[in-house]
Every structure is written in structure tokens, then in C-alpha cells.
Amino acid sequence: MAEYSALSIVRNALSGNEHWKPAWRKPEPKPAYDVIIVGGGGHGLSTAYYLASEFGIRNVAVVEKGWVGSGNIGRNTTIVRSNYLLPGNTPFYEHSMKLWENLSHELNYNVMFSQRGIINLFHTPAQEDDHARRGNSMILQGVDARFVRPPELKRRVPALNVSGSSRFPVLGGLEQPRAGTARHDAVAWGYARGADRRGVDIIENCEVTGFVREGDQVTGVETSRGRIHARKVAVAVAGATSRVMAMAGIGRLPIESHVLQAFVTESIKPCLDTVVTYGGGHLYISQSDKGSLVFGGDIDGYNSYAQRGNLPIVEDVMSEVLELFPAFAKLRLLRSWGGIMDMSMDGSPIIAKGPLPGLYLNAGWCYGGFKATPASGWCFAHTIAKDEPHQFNAPYTLDRFHRGTVIDEKGQGATPWKH
Amino acid sequence: MIIVCPFCGPRDLSEFAYCGDADNLAARPDPAATDPAAWNAYVYDRTNPAGEHAEIWQHAGGCRKFLRVVRNTVTHEISGVTMLEPKA
Ligand SMILES: Cc1cc2nc3c(=O)[nH]c(=O)nc-3n(C[C@H](O)[C@H](O)[C@H](O)COP(=O)(O)OP(=O)(O)OC[C@H]3O[C@@H](n4cnc5c(N)ncnc54)[C@H](O)[C@@H]3O)c2cc1C
Ligand SMILES: [Zn+2]
């Protein structure tokens, strides 16, 4: 298996970089497993990893339609934070943060987790009150939070326009110092390698096309590489949730698929060493270790399964960047892309047993599931192994929508295109 | 994306406001009905198809009419736009 060290880099450089070993095997699917995980994104891979490492279930397959990293895990803007308001969310995301803090060590794989902080700017007194409320809620639940005022902002983020000349002048920000960014591909690769080493079969280019059923009981999947049986089938396919669940006869879910775009500029010298979000609209921006500015804004705002967006959002996001950082007008954009979000009706996820016997569902990540990758896999693995949720994911049921226990951070109601 | 408003002609996406799944909105239970299952299904559950999707858009930056648009969610191709009439 692939091991990385300074020595291995030198040795492989001297031999023309032709002898690197693949980080995980490419096994043929076996006829049956204890658990099949549908979807080899971040959440499917971390679920497999924790099933094997924490819960002793190693006869596991991850079945992925494309290749590891082809979905949202390789498309996001990599922001990791646990600055939530509601008690249903905070313990889960804080658990994720704690897993992040040890992840490179745990996987022996550098996921480049960088706790550079996140500053959510506010621009009106009402917004300031709202941010104070969220900060207080965070502190009450054991999460770090503090206010940052314009003089400090000016020092910390020199490129930021705090002059008061902008349309929505910056009054301050709510900071979570332990928040930050991570290398998204490395997270997928690290979990994949860790799972593979513990015996998990990662089967790429294998699309699930149906479910094997005995009555209501789900007993396996039909795939483009044949039928595979399993005692338990766990679905973690993010934006494809409705399509995949429809194959199991679940025709309606509290989910809509929407496209989210992201953008990257040419590389420049370090000028932004934290994550900044704009409160006058919706923008989040950071600088990657390569020097590119990475940013995104709202979803396009209509149902979409096309992994590309439309121009109004591009214009919107660019105007927000320039509102905060006028100097960035000189930068050239290198790339933009889109990913399909599984937008839930209350903006919170689902990690639950069911809705059919033998079936387990992980979905509804909206555009915030990257930060959840460790805790989502950990809690999903717990739910699959023990047939009951951990206390951290107990609120994330599928039937909460019909029971009146939604977890709606924004108080937005069932309008996923506005979340 | 361009939507052809039956009233105003072809207009840019930025003039329109999205209002959600048309078939779901049309299936609203009778306001006097008190079956929670029916109301919950109406408020929260969607078919969310990959392919043709009937949806309501308002030409907010134009004639302000509500339109029923049939659009392919994979290709963005629009196969039909009709004016939404108030319920009789
Ligand atoms: C532009 C963008 C920016 C984002 N920014 C952030 C951010 O800053 N912070 C944050 O926390 N989150 C962010 N997110 C959200 C985050 O990326 C997702 O919520 C998260 O990655 C979803 O979980 P996943 O990694 O398992 O999904 P994916 O990587 O999409 O995994 C799902 C997998 O299922 C596979 N699949 C689908 N159908 C089938 C089938 N029939 N058979 C087999 N396999 C199938 C897909 O090929 C895919 O690989 C962003 C997302 C996007 C698109
Ligand atoms: Zn019109």
C-alpha cells in the first residue's frame, strides 16, 4: 500500500516516479457483503472507514458510479466550521470538528486541515444582534466564538474594505477561531486508503441501477457490474438521493436537487489567511495554499441535475467579492464548476435507519456537508452497526418533517431554493 | 437560461423568480381538510425528478405574471410555458 514520506518522495523521484503504488485496491465485487454503501463520496468512504475501524464491520463494499472524488467531495469550497445555532445541530458539528482536529493523524494522511478561523461579517445592527445570539448559543454549547470589530478586521484582513464607503458597511464579524479549511480530495483519498487497508472493497465505475428486495426487506443492489447481496444497504449519494431512492420505490422525499457553483482565481501571494463570509448577500471566500482565491455564493435557485450553473449567480458572486475586496477586480478567474446539492426542506441532514427494512439513508447535506464528512460517517456507521442512532444524529430522522420536529437554522420553511 | 414569457417574449433568467414544483403546488389539499399526513406530504415531500419538471416561475422583473414552465432539470431545455390562470 502507498506510504508517503520524505524518503519515498526522493526514492520515487530518482526512479522516474514510475513505481508509486496505488493507494487502494481495485477489487472485483464479491457476491455478498455484510454492508454495501452506495456512493463513494466523502460520506460513503468515511462511513466505510468507521464501520471497519470503530465498529468492527469489515466485510463492506463501497459502490461508486464514477471514481472516488468525482462528486461533491471533490467540488466544494472546503470550509469546515461548527458555528451552528440550534441544539439539534451543534453537538453533531462540534463532534465533527473534534474528529477533524485529529484526522490527519488518525488516517496517517495529510488532509491539510488548517484552522485559520472563519469570520461571518455583519452589516446592520439587527444582523449584529442575530450574530451575538448565535455566538452566545455556540458558547453555551461549548463551541468557540468571539466578536471581531473593524479595527481588528482591518489588521487581520488587510484587503477587506472596512472604510464604511460600501453599500452595506462592515460593522464587525462573528469569528469561530477553530474553523478553517481542508484539502477536499485528500479527505476522500485518506478515508479510501484507510478503509481499504481494513478490508473494505472500494468498487469504482459501478453504478447502482436497482435494489434487490424480498418483500419490503432490502437484500442487495443491482449494479452495472452485476447483482451484489448484503445484509444492510446504506445510501450516501448526496445530490442523487431522489434518483437512487426512487429505485427502491421511495418516490417522494423531503429533498430537492439544486446546483451550487464555485470559482477559483489565478494564484497570487498570500493575502487572506482566514475564511470570510459576507452578510449583505451570500459569499464565502478563502485563499488556497496554492494561492488561488476560492469562493462561492448562493445555489442557482431552481431544481437542477446539471453540474453547471447559469450566469446570474456568476454576476452576483463576483459583485459580492468586489464589494468586500475591491482590489480583487484585477484578478482573472481560472475556473468555475457546479455540483448537485441534496437540499433538504429544513436545511438539516438525514442520517437514519430506513425507510425500508435493511436500508439506511444519509442525505440532505445542502451545501454544508464537507465539514460534516467525519461525523456523518461516524454517526452513520454507528446507526448501521447498532441499528439505532447515536445521540449526535438522533435528531436527523427522515420522519421529523411529518412529526413537526424540523431543525431549521434559518427559519426559512420548506423552500429549499432559498436556503 | 432564457424563458419565453407568453406575454413579454424571450427574457433572461435573471428576470424570473422561482416558486417551486408546479404539480406539487397544484395538489394542495382542500384548505378545509384536516388530514395531517396529506398536509405534511404537500408541504415537505417532492418527486425531484431528473428530467422533465413542471415548475412555477414569476416574471418578477417583467409582466409579473405567474408561469407554468416545463423544464428538463438535466439539460435545462424548456418544452412549454403557459400562463397560470387564477383558480376559478
Ligand atoms: C460548489 C460546492 C461548494 C461546497 N462548499 C462546501 C463548503 O465550503 N463546506 C462544506 O461543508 N460543504 C460544502 N459543499 C457541500 C459538500 O461538498 C457536500 O455536502 C458533500 O460533499 C456531500 O457528501 P459526499 O461527499 O458524500 O457527496 P459526493 O462526493 O457527491 O458523493 C456521492 C457519490 O454518490 C455517487 N453516486 C450517485 N449515484 C450513484 C449510483 N446510482 N450508484 C453508485 N454511486 C452513485 C456519486 O457518483 C458520488 O461520487 C459544497 C458543495 C459544492 C458542490
Ligand atoms: Zn412576462
Side-chain angles (χ1 to χ4, degrees), chain A residues 41-43 64-65 72-73 76-77 79 208 367-371:
Chain A
H43 294 208
E64 163 57 43
K65 172 175 79 168
N72 294 339
I73 187 66
N76 61 72
T77 44
I79 299 165
V208 168
Y367 42 82
F370 178 64
K371 69 174 100 67

Side-chain angles (χ1 to χ4, degrees), chain A residues 54 89 116 219 223 236 246 407 409:
Chain A
E54 295 278 330
N89 277 327
R116 57 186 65 186
T219 57
T223 78
I407 308 161
E409 283 274 328

Side-chain angles (χ1 to χ4, degrees), chain A residues 254-271:
Chain A
I255 287 176
E256 282 184 4
S257 294
H258 287 258
V259 63
L260 178 68
Q261 306 190 56
F263 309 88
V264 139
T265 69
E266 60 189 318
S267 293
I268 51 170
K269 291 205 168 150
C271 67

Side-chain angles (χ1 to χ4, degrees), chain A residues 239 242-243 251-258 301-306 308 310 312 345 401-403 406 414 416-418, chain B residues 1 12-14 18-21 24 37 40-50 53 55 57 71 73-76:
Chain A
S242 296
R243 296 176 92 164
R252 282 165 66 88
L253 284 171
I255 287 176
E256 282 184 4
S257 294
H258 287 258
Y302 45 84
N303 292 43
S304 177
Y305 283 91
R308 59 191 151 75
N310 268 297
M345 290 287 159
F401 300 93
H402 285 215
R403 295 167 60 92
V406 293
W417 61 93
K418 290 181 183 163
Chain B
M1 209 155 85
D12 186 72
L13 170 65
S14 58
Y18 187 65
C19 310
D21 182 330
N24 185 64
N40 283 329
Y42 163 70
V43 173
Y44 292 115
D45 297 342
R46 303 286 183 271
T47 50
N48 190 24
H53 186 230
E55 48 202 32
W57 292 77
R71 186 180 55 93
T73 57
V74 181
T75 62
H76 295 333

Side-chain angles (χ1 to χ4, degrees), chain A residues 81-147:
Chain A
R81 56 183 177 85
S82 58
N83 54 359
Y84 281 75
L85 173 77
L86 298 177
N89 277 327
T90 311
F92 172 82
Y93 285 102
E94 182 55 19
H95 178 55
S96 207
M97 182 63 80
K98 287 180 177 141
L99 292 172
W100 276 111
E101 286 172 329
N102 195 40
L103 194 58
S104 292
H105 184 76
E106 158 94 26
L107 297 175
N108 187 24
Y109 200 106
N110 186 1
V111 300
M112 296 167 70
F113 182 49
S114 156
Q115 290 179 291
R116 57 186 65 186
I118 188 168
I119 300 174
N120 301 132
L121 299 176
F122 50 79
H123 310 261
T124 65
Q127 214 175 23
E128 176 170 346
D129 289 348
D130 184 57
H131 281 58
R133 176 171 175 243
R134 181 145 59 100
N136 286 334
S137 169
M138 288 163 64
I139 290 167
L140 279 172
Q141 297 180 76
V143 181
D144 56 320
R146 61 186 289 271
F147 257 12

